[in-house]
Amino acid sequence: MKIVCASSVLHGEQAFSTLGQTVVVPDQEICRDHLVDADILVVRSKTQVNETLLSGTKVGFVGTATAGVDHLDLDWLAYNDVAAYAAAGCNANSVAEYITAALLYLVQYKGMLLKDLTLGIVGVGNVGSAVARKAEALGMRVLLNDPPRQLAEDNPPELLALDHVLGESDVVTLHVPL
């Protein structure tokens, strides 16, 4: 099995070498020539994965070490029976910790108290939900907005209109796909 892995995938060669021959290529240099005899492609968002890149190759699986998939032509991949997987939620806790640190810095710098602030969160998926849990644990009032989730789920958390969240929040954080 041949695996082509973008160089920006941390420890990619070590992780995939147990599965087969792993070739590490700089993200911006990955091209069809690298993939003609490859079975698997592992990338990050710098590589556009579409018909131009994969047509005529035997790649049957594309993995992205990112939460987003805007760099993957999912329709083309599905039509051509190429499985695709993204690492949704992989950085949720790290982002939530970063937001927590930023909030702590803000209140220290401005002489405020977290319990007196309202945090608006736009996008309440893996990352936004993790941010909400930490903010609530810190005693903040949290307002949530996520129209796609509201439409897709039968029983989503209390989600509010964007205008309401923006009007009521002292701090707003965005966690939406590109």
Side-chain angles (χ1 to χ4, degrees):
M1 178 181 320
K2 180 178 175 184
I3 303 158
V4 173
C5 182
S7 61
S8 64
V9 176
L10 191 60
H11 304 297
E13 186 168 18
Q14 296 89 336
F16 300 114
S17 64
T18 60
L19 302 174
Q21 175 196 5
T22 303
V23 178
V24 176
V25 180
D27 300 56
Q28 62 275 14
E29 294 178 20
I30 295 175
C31 66
R32 191 181 166 286
D33 291 342
H34 295 112
L35 303 172
V36 171
D37 60 345
D39 302 287
I40 296 173
L41 173 62
V42 180
V43 297
R44 292 188 57 83
S45 59
K46 298 174 187 176
T47 304
Q48 294 296 311
V49 180
N50 52 33
E51 179 179 9
T52 302
L53 183 64
L54 295 182
S55 183
T57 72
K58 66 177 202 166
V59 172
F61 178 85
V62 174
T64 180
T66 62
V69 294
D70 53 293
H71 58 293
L72 305 180
D73 185 341
L74 295 174
D75 292 335
W76 187 90
L77 293 171
Y79 182 78
N80 289 279
D81 295 320
V82 177
Y85 184 79
C90 64
N91 64 347
N93 191 57
S94 296
V95 173
E97 288 175 346
Y98 172 79
I99 297 297
T100 301
L103 289 167
L104 292 171
Y105 175 79
L106 174 71
V107 296
Q108 180 184 22
Y109 180 75
K110 294 285 188 179
M112 307 160 89
L113 297 174
L114 285 174
K115 70 176 185 64
D116 295 335
L117 297 178
T118 298
L119 177 66
I121 301 175
V122 179
V124 193
N126 291 308
V127 176
S129 295
V131 171
R133 285 189 298 274
K134 290 191 185 320
E136 289 168 347
L138 292 169
M140 297 183 77
R141 177 179 173 225
V142 177
L143 303 178
L144 308 174
N145 170 266
D146 193 326
R149 184 172 176 183
Q150 194 164 20
L151 291 172
E153 293 181 18
D154 291 332
N155 192 20
E158 184 181 351
L159 301 172
L160 305 167
L162 181 61
D163 289 344
H164 179 83
V165 171
L166 295 177
E168 294 285 321
S169 299
D170 300 296
V171 178
V172 176
T173 182
L174 309 173
H175 305 285
V176 298
L178 187 63

